[in-house]
Amino acid sequence: MLKLGIVGCGAIGTEICKAVDEGSIESELVAVYDRNEEHLSNLQSSLVNTEPEVYELQEMVKHVDLVVESASQKAAYEIVTTALESSCDVMVMSVGVFVDKNFREKVTDIAKKKGCKIYLPSGALVGLDGVKTASCNDIYSVSLTSRKPPESLEGAPYIVENNIDLENLKNETVVFEGYAAEAVKMFPANVNVAATLSLSGLGFDETSVKIIADPGAEKNIHNVTVKGNFGEFTTRVENLPSPTNPKTSYLASLSAIATLQKIVNPLQVGT
């Protein structure tokens, strides 16, 4: 049975642990860790059937087959590298870390040498199977438009550096328009979807991103349009925010669970 370690026990990490605890994922929850003791305490009290150890990363990798990173882009650098160097597979939720080309190439090389896998769930997007399929030939353009409640963007470096007053917005406002390479760095907790989309298709420098702060929005809405010699398709998903973290779409948690279910399931469906 797959032995799991979870680093980061916020909204996504907690949902994964609960899924294992309830038997939705055929695996063993061996260890968990979070620097925030309140997160750890809340998680431990919510589990009924499992009692994972609390191990820091260096100890965790000695006991597990797969490490789930659900902490932050900053933490992901150490988590991914340490897991792979210890011959553990790793699932990365902070996909924006891969905007760093040197890091991306480094960990991919380590994974090859160690015979490990790096799993990137589709997160809050739908249709990535289509993007990957289309990218087997020529794609002309990929664009993402994300519409979010203003409060979900609070604290993003781009918002802070440009003194954007989110609290007093009366109408929908385009707060960012550019490419994924910048969007992922300037909105590290908000648009991991842009990173996943970039890695599936044209890359960070050619994936167009528009972010709209909408006071009337109650959901995180993502529209993706892809054009290529296959034709054209558009996807739209309206995500409810996570009950415990408005910056995270609930679908992202479900995507992590679905990825783990796919890993342990011998029957593989879809691209």
Side-chain angles (χ1 to χ4, degrees), residues 150-167:
E151 60 269 21
S152 71
L153 298 170
E154 288 284 0
Y158 189 88
I159 298 297
V160 174
E161 291 180 14
N162 289 278
N163 297 312
I164 299 174
D165 184 2
L166 295 172
E167 290 186 5

Side-chain angles (χ1 to χ4, degrees), residues 7-195:
V7 183
C9 301
I12 294 176
T14 296
E15 290 295 335
I16 294 171
C17 291
K18 286 182 178 180
V20 177
D21 189 60
E22 295 167 359
S24 298
I25 304 171
E26 293 185 7
S27 60
E28 180 184 355
L29 182 59
V30 173
V32 296
Y33 181 73
D34 196 302
R35 292 180 179 177
N36 187 314
E37 292 187 3
E38 183 179 358
H39 286 174
L40 271 175
S41 178
N42 290 340
L43 170 63
Q44 289 172 312
S45 64
S46 71
L47 301 178
V48 177
N49 302 305
T50 56
E51 295 184 10
E53 299 288 343
V54 177
Y55 287 147
E56 292 192 14
L57 181 62
Q58 296 290 346
E59 182 64 23
M60 180 185 293
V61 295
K62 299 176 184 178
H63 303 275
V64 303
D65 304 312
L66 187 150
V67 174
V68 177
E69 177 282 314
S70 54
S72 67
Q73 278 192 37
K74 184 178 180 180
Y77 281 92
E78 178 187 0
I79 295 168
V80 175
T81 303
T82 301
L84 292 173
E85 288 180 340
S86 301
S87 299
C88 292
D89 292 336
V90 62
M91 189 171 84
V92 185
M93 300 308 300
S94 303
V95 185
V97 70
F98 290 105
V99 71
D100 183 335
K101 182 180 179 181
N102 290 333
F103 175 74
R104 189 168 71 243
E105 292 177 348
K106 171 187 172 182
V107 296
T108 300
D109 185 55
I110 295 172
K112 288 179 179 179
K113 290 179 179 178
K114 294 288 186 175
C116 296
K117 297 291 186 183
I118 304 170
Y119 298 100
L120 309 181
S122 54
L125 285 184
V126 297
L128 286 182
D129 55 343
V131 181
K132 290 190 293 182
T133 300
S135 67
C136 289
N137 211 305
D138 291 335
I139 296 179
Y140 309 144
S141 66
V142 178
S143 63
L144 166 69
T145 299
S146 292
R147 181 183 301 270
K148 291 173 170 279
E151 60 269 21
S152 71
L153 298 170
E154 288 284 0
Y158 189 88
I159 298 297
V160 174
E161 291 180 14
N162 289 278
N163 297 312
I164 299 174
D165 184 2
L166 295 172
E167 290 186 5
N168 294 309
L169 287 183
K170 303 300 181 184
N171 302 300
E172 64 175 58
T173 302
V174 176
V175 294
F176 177 87
E177 191 164 10
Y179 289 100
E182 182 182 6
V184 170
K185 293 176 182 177
M186 301 306 287
F187 294 87
N190 306 101
V191 290
N192 273 304
V193 291

